[in-house]
Amino acid sequence: MADRSDNDNVLDGEMVNHGDTGLVIPDSVLPSVLYLLPVPKRPFFPAQVQPILLEMKLWEDTLKRVGEKQNHVMGLLYCGEDNAQEIDPDSAPSIGCAVRVHHAHQEKDTAQIVVQGLKRFRIRRWISRKPPYIVEVDYPDNIGERDTDEVKAYAMAVIRAIKELLAINPLYSEELKQYLSRFSPNEPSLLVDFAAAITSANGDDLQDIMDTLPLLRRMEKVLLLLKKEREVAELQGKISEQVNEKINKNQREFFLKEQLKVIQKELGISKDDRTADVEEFRERLEGKQVPEAARKKIDDELHKLEVLETGSPEYGVTRNYLDWATALPWGVYSEDKLDLKRARKVLNLHHQGLDDVKDRITEFLAVGKFKGTVAGSIILLVGPPGVGKTSIGRSIAEALGRKFYRFSLGGMRDEAEIKGHRRTYIGAMPGKLVQALKDVETANPVIMLDEIDKVGASYHGDPASALLEVLDPEQNVEFLDHYLDMRFDLSKVLFVCTANQLDTIPGPLLDRMETIRLAGYLAEEKLDIARKHLWPRLLERNGINKKRLSINAAALRHVIDGYAREAGVRNLEKQLGRIVRKAAVQLLEDEALVLKVGKDEVEDFLGKPVFKKEKPQQGIGVVNGLAWTAMGGATLGVECTRVHSLNRNFKLSGQLGDVMKESADIAYSYVMANLKAFGGDPAFFDEATVHLHVPEGATPKDGPSAGITMASALLSLALNKAPKSGFAMTGELTLTGQVLPVGGIREKVIAAKRIGIKKVILPEDNRRDFEELPDYVRKGVTAHFAERYDQVREILF
């Protein structure tokens, strides 16, 4: 960059005269060397007068030097759409605009200068290529005669285009006034530059106008820009009109509605919010058979609503109460479809096996057919998890053609969930039963009370006791919800309850229900369920084509035996789901792959089997027992051994409950008292320490059904003789040798079959339970029945 004094000398030295005469007019004398400032976004035109904002830290030196000059002239050069900080001499345009600075004002780090465009300049040479930028320039004249007819015609076209813009958008008129106050309208070059400056064209298009020196060519380009500007302005005008029209229409409607309300009120024909609410509630009751007492209470509340102020808290409470009371299906019943063939078809469609349950439900519907209505019965489905209790409830509703509503009682501790809160409480709500009836809109739905064995009691009350009124056919004719405080007839509702076990259900509640047991599935039933229901459903749910992924019966049987041996099929579905997910990854990686899952591939997907094939235990002092658990039936091996003969002692292990410890003590006492009669040494137990153990010590065990099993293990030890192999047994023993009946016979027989035991010993009183089992459960099982322990001994020894 040249030295400051040299540059100043250059700037002071050379002036260019642009007149024809020898007389020099100050405005027309422009320097041949200029300081430059960059302008972003749009170039500056000779016809413009407007303020420019600058950052002082960048351009303070340039402004100071321009201010020191007598004529205050400098150059503005367009520097691109967004680069306002610097000028690149190699890529910058060669044509800019010489301007005179009229006013400068500084505030903090920003300066505002008002500049007036004077004339185009063309850069001949860069004197300083860094700020402050200095260039040597000349001032090119317009190419072409300005007074020709063609130029005048174009000038008139430009003026007409500007007038059209003014008509559309009045904002342009201010700029036009400024132009007319400073320049002669007879200057076509300035007119064209002004026309370009008022458009919203982009910076590059406007620089093209600056670079075009031939007047006619520049006029053509500007006319095109003006045409585009007019189209944009017209479009904006249309949009504004549409918006204004919409706003005006809405305002008009609002005012008219308000006027209408006032007129209706004056004439006494208006309906305010309160009247509309009252009418809506009265309309809801039309066609419903509301009992007299309930009708009187609702009418009283409606009368109260008519006199209350809409803004009062009491109004909201009363309105909410009436909303519930009038929404209930008073006397509205759906028609039952009591077609037994259809019912059987629906039940078979969704459930494999469970024939005894299906028969019981069919009997229930048959009785309903004779009575003309299905009512007055509460069904309790009891069984281990995953056997389909909830889905059977849905199937009953579908078979009957009734609406279905399910809610879970698991963990419920507040009786208000059943019977509602009193209206005096803030946020009071009716109970779940009233909510169910409102949702289903009929007074005879199927309502499922899931997990009735898991209701809890707390200081809020006892929900199980609150259910006594609901589930008693004699009482629920006049069920009273605390919130409604009106009697509602629940006798037509069919209640279906589910539970995993009966122990935790209070006796009075259990007494009101008809128990149907679901014992779980045999391996063959599970295979059918997996093949017909679970596998197709998993493929559909995961969007996989059955042609690309299939599984054979051997693989399904391996999954059932090795990974999902529990009574239900929920875990089986999880394991099959794991196979489908892992297979999906392989199918995505190879789009041509077709997977057929066989027994060998199962372990690749699921790892090593969780369950190994159980073998019945054998040997002296070892007997297989049968037990019932909430997860289904199970086999229990009972072992006993003589530890030493130093002193008499009886030791128990295996995490046994109190009832089971009592059974062991009874068995020990009974065998010891009768050992001589059984052919053993009566002194055996007098000096022996005997240890009796039930394996799987981590699993708590309790129940009265292991008496004869423990006695048989002790007798085997005392006689030093192994019992006959292939037997499993269940039954409670008394001190006098009687064998008492036990529960869960179906589950226990299934558990025995699962591990390959074909012979079972059961109490004589359970003969009826065994004979009532379905044929497919009894098939292959030989049952021996004992009334006294002597009969058990004869069978085993």
Side-chain angles (χ1 to χ4, degrees), residues 99-335:
V99 298
R100 176 167 284 115
V101 180
H102 281 290
H103 177 71
H105 173 69
Q106 184 180 347
E107 192 170 312
K108 292 183 181 174
D109 297 333
T110 309
Q112 186 185 61
I113 58 171
V114 178
V115 295
Q116 174 190 350
L118 300 174
K119 195 170 179 64
R120 278 174 178 73
F121 67 76
R122 180 166 48 205
I123 299 172
R124 290 209 313 249
R125 180 169 66 91
W126 285 81
I127 296 169
S128 169
R129 300 171 75 89
K130 293 180 181 177
Y133 299 108
I134 306 170
V135 288
E136 185 182 334
V137 300
D138 62 15
Y139 297 91
D141 287 323
N142 296 312
I143 300 169
E145 289 290 328
R146 74 175 200 177
D147 293 328
T148 62
D149 292 341
E150 202 173 354
V151 169
K152 285 177 181 174
Y154 268 109
M156 288 171 71
V158 169
I159 290 167
R160 186 164 63 250
I162 291 171
K163 282 181 179 176
E164 287 172 358
L165 275 177
L166 290 174
I168 297 166
N169 190 342
L171 288 173
Y172 297 122
S173 60
E174 283 302 315
E175 294 191 38
L176 184 62
K177 282 178 188 172
Q178 284 186 8
Y179 167 74
L180 292 172
S181 66
R182 285 178 170 80
F183 307 105
S184 165
N186 298 323
E187 280 284 340
S189 177
L190 287 173
L191 175 69
V192 174
D193 287 344
F194 166 72
I198 66 171
T199 66
S200 58
N202 65 45
D204 293 337
D205 288 346
L206 294 175
Q207 183 60 41
D208 184 37
I209 302 290
M210 281 292 287
D211 293 341
T212 307
L213 297 176
L215 193 55
L216 280 173
R217 185 80 190 99
R218 200 187 325 156
M219 286 178 151
E220 285 173 10
K221 289 182 178 181
V222 169
L223 273 172
L224 277 173
L225 286 184
L226 288 169
K227 187 184 175 190
K228 278 187 195 172
E229 192 73 15
R230 192 184 72 201
E231 287 171 358
V232 171
E234 282 175 349
L235 188 59
Q236 284 177 335
K238 279 181 188 172
I239 292 167
S240 296
E241 273 178 35
Q242 286 171 358
V243 171
N244 290 335
E245 197 176 312
K246 207 167 184 180
I247 291 169
N248 292 339
K249 188 180 176 185
N250 289 343
Q251 285 176 335
R252 188 164 168 272
E253 282 179 6
F254 173 75
F255 286 125
L256 286 173
K257 280 176 183 172
E258 290 300 312
Q259 285 174 334
L260 184 64
K261 279 184 188 175
V262 174
I263 292 165
Q264 284 179 333
K265 207 165 187 180
E266 290 295 322
L267 294 173
I269 58 170
S270 71
K271 285 184 190 176
D272 55 13
D273 293 342
R274 179 172 48 199
T275 315
D277 284 342
V278 170
E279 285 190 10
E280 184 192 343
F281 294 143
R282 289 196 197 282
E283 279 171 19
R284 280 192 198 173
L285 293 174
E286 284 174 16
K288 291 182 180 176
Q289 297 162 16
V290 186
E292 192 59 42
R295 170 70 79 173
K296 186 175 183 302
K297 189 164 180 63
I298 290 172
D299 285 343
D300 289 346
E301 293 293 326
L302 282 168
H303 179 67
K304 190 203 289 187
L305 194 74
E306 285 173 328
V307 297
L308 282 169
E309 282 299 322
T310 51
S312 71
E314 183 71 9
Y315 180 86
V317 172
T318 307
R319 189 195 178 286
N320 200 36
Y321 174 82
L322 284 166
D323 188 29
W324 280 102
T326 57
L328 286 180
W330 299 98
V332 178
Y333 300 101
S334 61
E335 193 176 338

Side-chain angles (χ1 to χ4, degrees), residues 18-44:
H18 291 283
D20 294 326
T21 63
L23 198 67
V24 177
I25 302 163
D27 276 3
S28 65
V29 177
L30 296 172
S32 60
V33 177
L34 292 174
Y35 283 107
L36 276 192
L37 281 180
V39 283
K41 295 187 174 60
R42 297 164 61 88
F44 203 88

Side-chain angles (χ1 to χ4, degrees), residues 404-442:
F404 180 77
Y405 188 93
R406 172 196 163 275
F407 66 91
S408 176
L409 297 168
M412 188 179 283
R413 297 177 305 155
D414 190 349
E415 67 177 32
E417 295 264 1
I418 304 293
K419 302 198 71 174
H421 307 86
R422 299 199 182 280
R423 260 209 294 167
T424 48
Y425 298 124
I426 292 170
M429 288 279 285
K432 276 272 190 280
L433 291 156
V434 171
Q435 292 177 36
L437 293 169
K438 182 187 176 186
D439 282 2
V440 297
E441 297 177 348
T442 62

